[in-house]
Amino acid sequence: MTMAGGSFFDVAPPRSGIYVVVENVRSLFNVGAIFRSADGVNASGVVLTGFTGCPPRKEISRVALGADESVPWTYYATAVEAIADLQAHNIPVLALEHTEDSIDYREAKISCPVAFVVGHEVEGVQSQTLAHCDCAVHLPMLGAKVSLNVSVAAGVMLYALLGSEDGARS
């Protein structure tokens, strides 16, 4: 559901205070999986940006199983625009990206409301987007690969935020 009237940030019924910003994710199946995980934590919204596909799309719906119709969502041309709007509503924005300065997500002091950005399946979060985030956190990778699938990483972070000290619970 896009927010046609009123503000995307004034959604009812009360939700968890967690937002996920999806930057340039090519796979519509990944987008659908992010919606489904967002529904699982009663996320306040999914923010689609760049060339990320938007509902209604059968590929998104196939994986989302209706979550693309129940989780509030909106679209911005760029993640930087989305971040500016979130921050204007006093919502801190984290990048979920391994960088030189990122910290393990388990060590971050995070409370809701909060938003986090996930990026392109191969390229990750763009550098100009990282520059506008309040900080960067990463998931520790102990195996040979350096990252998880974007929808899996988003799911891990959504549930970690739900369990954060001040995270809303239902």
Side-chain angles (χ1 to χ4, degrees), residues 102-167:
S102 64
I103 60 171
D104 186 315
Y105 80 103
R106 297 169 298 180
E107 297 173 9
K109 302 290 186 223
I110 303 170
S111 62
C112 294
V114 66
F116 69 96
V117 182
V118 294
H120 183 269
E121 291 91 339
V122 176
E123 303 298 322
V125 178
Q126 295 181 5
S127 59
Q128 64 267 32
T129 302
L130 285 168
H132 287 87
C133 291
D134 295 300
C135 71
V137 297
H138 64 263
L139 303 175
M141 297 298 296
L142 305 178
K145 299 301 174 188
V146 297
S147 67
L148 294 173
N149 170 280
V150 65
S151 66
V152 173
V156 169
M157 194 65 187
L158 283 161
Y159 275 87
L161 291 172
L162 184 65
S164 69
E165 183 180 326
D166 296 323

Side-chain angles (χ1 to χ4, degrees), residues 75-90:
Y75 174 82
Y76 289 80
T78 70
V80 171
E81 292 174 77
I83 291 167
D85 204 6
L86 286 157
Q87 291 170 334
H89 285 87
N90 297 314

Side-chain angles (χ1 to χ4, degrees), residues 2-21:
T2 56
M3 303 307 296
S7 172
F8 174 72
F9 303 101
D10 298 327
V11 296
R15 292 186 164 264
S16 65
I18 303 168
Y19 297 84
V20 57
V21 179

